[in-house]
Amino acid sequence: MSLKKNDDIILKIEDMTNEGSSVGHYDGQAVFVTGGVTGDELCAHIIKAKKNYAVAKCMSIITPSPNRISSDCPYSDKCGGCSFRNMTYSAELEYKQRRVENALKRIGNIDAPVRDIIGADEINHYRNKAQYPVDVQNGELVAGFYAYKSHRIVPCNSCLLQPEEFSLCIDAFSKWAKESGVTSYDEKTGKGLLRHIYLRKAVATGEIMACAVINGNSLPNENLLVELLSGIDGVCSVCVNINKNDTNVILGDQTKIIYGKEYITDILLGKKFVISPNSFYQVNHNQCEKLYSIAGKYAELTGNETVVDLYCGAGTIGLTMADKIKTLYGVEIIPQAIENAKLNAEINGINNAEFFCADAFEAAKILENKGIKPDVLILDPPRKGCQSELFDVVEKMSPNRIVYVSCDSATLARDLNILDSKGYKAVEATPVDMFPRTPHVETVVQLVRKKPDTYIDITVDMDELDLTSSEAKATYDEIKDYIFDKYRVKVSSLYIAQVKQKHGIIERDCYNNSKKDNQKQPQCPPEKVKLIEEALRHFKMIS
Ligand code: SAH
């Protein structure tokens, strides 16, 4: 019998999900529970029941997992950030290690060894950036974080992940808002001024940047805000970012400095880095140094190499290796980040680096056309992974080694699989825990160009496979998992098969036709067609 809303059940938690909730099975049906830990036996109250899965709330723990600890954060059961506050750090690391291993094996079909995850020495206060959504009610400013999968603000100005000075900055904003009649932005009406408080700290120097993201052109009572913020130790830059768009993207394109410096300066592996508000910068300074050190090791530089660093942000990865590089080319799409990268080369006296503001694929094509043959290619794309069209250019550029840095093991695995078909073998991977207490994990991988003869064999193999190669890209279970993880919707193999068939992807016999003559098959409903198509696009099986 399947579960119904408001049922109370006893559930054994078997695993954690990619999004950080926990999962167990009841009569074969998956039940997702926030707040569970693998190994817990708990009492779960069903809040949503679908045909094949249910979502539940943990009411009480009957037998705690040996890995369960009590959360040290008063907000953790409401805020969507730290899913692992109830778990020992060693269990968290084990889970993340397994997650990377599974992704490489199951999604990527990659059998490269995965080295032990590099854990963090500091699991609290490690972040160097916070973006607090705000709400002002009767002059009182509430800043905090969005609750899990919602835009409801959980008030919190002392998050355990953030530097302690950030609480003082929030207090300064609150005082200013109260005395200046500041309104907060309302997503529904598009009215109101203050959208986010955006704070950044350069951990190595202690410099802090405080930024008000506003739906307007200027701040009321700006001098008061500057006075309050500049009195806080470390604050050396106060700015206003203008974002009048109806969007979830936090920052707008334009930033005005209203006090102090245009950027803050951090130090990574002995090199100085200036960072503007719009530039990407790794959020965990100490773990970032470990990550870049491994990336440097995987690059195997001797000083004679040409290196292309695609998706380079403020130039950080390439520049930390610049002393051992002959010529470095960096590519990044955000103009402010490229300006930072150029300045970063200059302030470190690095003159063997060139930076381009462009789309990674477009720039790679141009570099390739110019005959630039990198010895080492660094890829550090955003969560969604590399653009699929980039891989043909990579193949033409034919670097000897690729260092791939990724914050999403699923898209990493997908890309490693494509790179394998382009002649690049993953040699080894190292997960690095950049985001303790949250479900995210970073991974760095070394790939090398296969020997020409093996590579030719493989090319032939792939050609022969041609029509079925897209079939090989993601299994039915991976497609199901993707849709389920993202939308909590179950799709059957039959429906996947129907959508694959619609797109001309060769089908396995068993799902292709009904076994009995004249038997009518259920047809995939249009809303599920859309989800399956999205998954196929995600796995690059259709464009
Ligand atoms: N390597 C950097 C940045 C990695 S984050 C570091 O370690 O700090 C990924 C970067 O890719 C971001 O800076 C983002 O702005 C950039 N990016 C996203 N899409 C891009 C594209 N199509 N072409 C080039 N850069 C892109």
Side-chain angles (χ1 to χ4, degrees):
M1 228 187 58
S2 59
L3 289 164
K4 293 184 306 302
K5 190 171 170 172
N6 292 330
D7 279 351
D8 288 305
I9 57 168
I10 292 173
L11 190 72
K12 179 96 181 166
I13 299 300
E14 296 152 19
D15 206 352
M16 309 303 287
T17 69
N18 290 358
E19 291 175 347
S21 74
S22 66
V23 61
H25 283 83
Y26 190 85
D27 267 355
Q29 193 171 1
V31 182
F32 294 88
V33 194
T34 39
V37 169
T38 308
D40 277 343
E41 189 183 37
L42 48 80
C43 177
H45 180 74
I46 305 295
I47 50 178
K48 186 163 139 189
K50 293 279 174 185
K51 198 158 158 253
N52 295 315
Y53 74 95
V55 180
K57 203 169 137 186
C58 170
M59 304 307 283
S60 61
I61 307 287
I62 299 164
T63 317
S65 157
N67 296 324
R68 173 171 278 281
I69 53 172
S70 42
S71 168
D72 49 356
C73 170
Y75 311 101
S76 63
D77 57 341
K78 296 182 206 84
C79 153
C82 294
S83 321
F84 292 153
R85 285 260 163 219
N86 288 319
M87 197 194 273
T88 59
Y89 187 48
S90 57
E92 177 183 335
L93 289 177
E94 263 171 47
Y95 163 75
K96 289 179 175 177
Q97 173 85 24
R98 199 159 32 86
R99 167 136 151 234
V100 173
E101 287 170 358
N102 285 344
L104 294 202
K105 243 183 233 131
R106 294 191 190 156
I107 303 174
N109 200 17
I110 298 293
D111 58 7
V114 178
R115 299 280 166 227
D116 285 350
I117 186 166
I118 312 287
D121 301 323
E122 283 300 327
I123 59 170
N124 285 326
H125 305 298
Y126 62 80
R127 280 187 64 95
N128 57 25
K129 180 177 93 173
Q131 345 186 76
Y132 303 84
V134 296
D135 190 16
V136 182
Q137 305 258 342
N138 307 322
E140 296 295 331
L141 180 142
V142 172
F145 298 102
Y146 288 134
Y148 185 61
K149 289 199 170 175
S150 91
H151 271 200
R152 190 168 42 81
I153 298 174
V154 177
C156 167
N157 73 347
S158 56
C159 168
L160 275 177
L161 298 186
Q162 307 296 350
E164 275 146 321
E165 301 93 317
F166 284 9
S167 308
L168 301 175
C169 295
I170 298 288
D171 293 345
F173 273 100
S174 303
K175 197 158 179 213
W176 160 76
K178 191 163 189 165
E179 289 186 23
S180 316
V182 172
T183 54
S184 56
Y185 176 72
D186 181 337
E187 285 178 327
K188 289 190 198 93
T189 61
K191 300 222 164 70
L193 183 73
L194 188 61
R195 296 177 74 128
H196 275 84
I197 296 171
Y198 177 95
L199 304 172
R200 248 180 173 176
K201 178 179 175 184
V203 171
T205 58
E207 292 184 356
I208 293 172
M209 168 182 272
C211 181
V213 183
I214 58 168
N215 171 41
N217 295 322
S218 59
L219 297 178
N221 218 355
E222 181 180 293
N223 291 345
L224 175 66
L225 182 65
V226 167
E227 188 189 315
L228 292 168
L229 285 168
S230 58
I232 298 167
D233 248 10
V235 175
C236 64
S237 169
V238 180
C239 51
V240 174
N241 176 274
I242 295 169
N243 184 357
K244 296 184 191 168
N245 302 329
D246 175 13
T247 171
N248 280 341
V249 177
I250 293 175
L251 292 179
D253 292 334
Q254 204 193 337
T255 304
K256 293 195 292 192
I257 307 296
I258 56 172
Y259 165 79
K261 303 202 260 185
E262 226 177 294
Y263 24 65
I264 50 174
T265 307
D266 206 1
I267 301 170
L268 282 172
L269 298 176
K271 298 273 189 315
K272 284 186 188 160
F273 290 101
V274 299
I275 320 141
S276 298
N278 295 65
S279 302
F280 177 89
Y281 188 65
Q282 298 286 356
V283 295
N284 185 332
H285 174 273
N286 298 354
Q287 290 300 95
C288 176
E289 288 196 325
K290 295 181 195 169
L291 176 79
Y292 286 4
S293 300
I294 301 168
K297 194 178 90 185
Y298 284 173
E300 294 182 21
L301 299 165
T302 64
N304 293 321
E305 288 79 9
T306 299
V307 176
V308 170
D309 181 2
L310 293 182
Y311 311 94
C312 71
T316 45
I317 301 187
L319 290 173
T320 54
M321 303 175 186
D323 302 346
K324 288 187 172 174
I325 290 175
K326 191 165 143 217
T327 315
L328 168 66
Y329 299 96
V331 176
E332 159 64 45
I333 206 159
I334 302 286
Q336 291 92 334
I338 279 295
E339 278 168 32
N340 290 167
K342 289 179 179 165
L343 188 55
N344 286 332
E346 198 181 312
I347 59 175
N348 288 292
I350 294 169
N351 44 31
N352 57 346
E354 276 186 59
F355 290 98
F356 306 95
C357 183
D359 169 75
F361 163 63
E362 297 297 337
K365 258 195 322 193
I366 295 170
L367 291 172
E368 201 273 321
N369 278 334
K370 281 189 171 172
I372 288 162
K373 292 254 170 230
D375 300 284
V376 179
L377 174 67
I378 298 165
L379 296 172
D380 184 9
R383 196 167 292 280
K384 62 177 188 271
C386 293
Q387 302 126 284
S388 58
E389 60 274 26
L390 179 68
F391 296 111
D392 284 335
V393 191
V394 170
E395 191 180 18
K396 283 193 196 144
M397 280 183 150
S398 63
N400 293 330
R401 283 179 293 290
I402 299 175
V403 179
Y404 194 136
V405 177
S406 159
C407 59
D408 184 317
S409 46
T411 57
L412 167 70
R414 177 203 66 202
D415 288 354
L416 292 181
N417 181 281
I418 303 174
L419 282 164
D420 191 82
S421 73
K422 303 283 175 199
Y424 285 89
K425 180 180 165 53
V427 178
E428 72 168 51
T430 306
V432 179
D433 191 20
M434 299 282 272
F435 316 101
R437 310 332 252 146
T438 81
H440 306 289
V441 58
E442 195 89 7
T443 310
V444 52
V445 183
Q446 185 194 45
L447 299 99
V448 294
R449 192 145 53 92
K450 296 178 199 174
K451 286 197 200 83
D453 44 348
T454 23
Y455 176 38
I456 288 162
D457 282 346
I458 281 170
T459 314
V460 172
D461 281 347
M462 288 311 285
D463 282 350
E464 282 165 357
L465 284 172
D466 198 23
L467 279 172
T468 51
S469 62
S470 31
E471 172 95 323
K473 282 186 178 160
T475 64
Y476 283 75
D477 281 347
E478 281 153 12
I479 294 169
K480 287 178 195 174
D481 285 353
Y482 174 84
I483 295 170
F484 191 72
D485 278 358
K486 200 157 172 197
Y487 298 104
R488 293 277 153 82
V489 172
K490 286 251 177 185
V491 293
S492 67
S493 299
L494 174 70
Y495 287 170
I496 296 174
Q498 287 169 353
V499 177
K500 284 171 103 181
Q501 204 169 31
K502 174 179 158 201
H503 288 274
I505 304 173
I506 285 277
E507 243 342 294
R508 289 175 183 163
D509 282 349
C510 54
Y511 298 128
N512 207 9
N513 295 309
S514 173
K515 298 229 168 33
K516 289 182 204 150
D517 288 345
N518 302 327
Q519 185 178 307
K520 263 201 148 181
Q521 283 183 347
Q523 287 303 305
C524 183
E527 64 278 7
K528 290 197 175 180
V529 170
K530 278 205 189 115
L531 299 185
I532 296 168
E533 283 175 337
E534 192 206 309
L536 295 181
R537 234 170 268 127
H538 170 84
F539 289 110
K540 302 274 186 258
M541 296 166 76
I542 59 172
S543 53

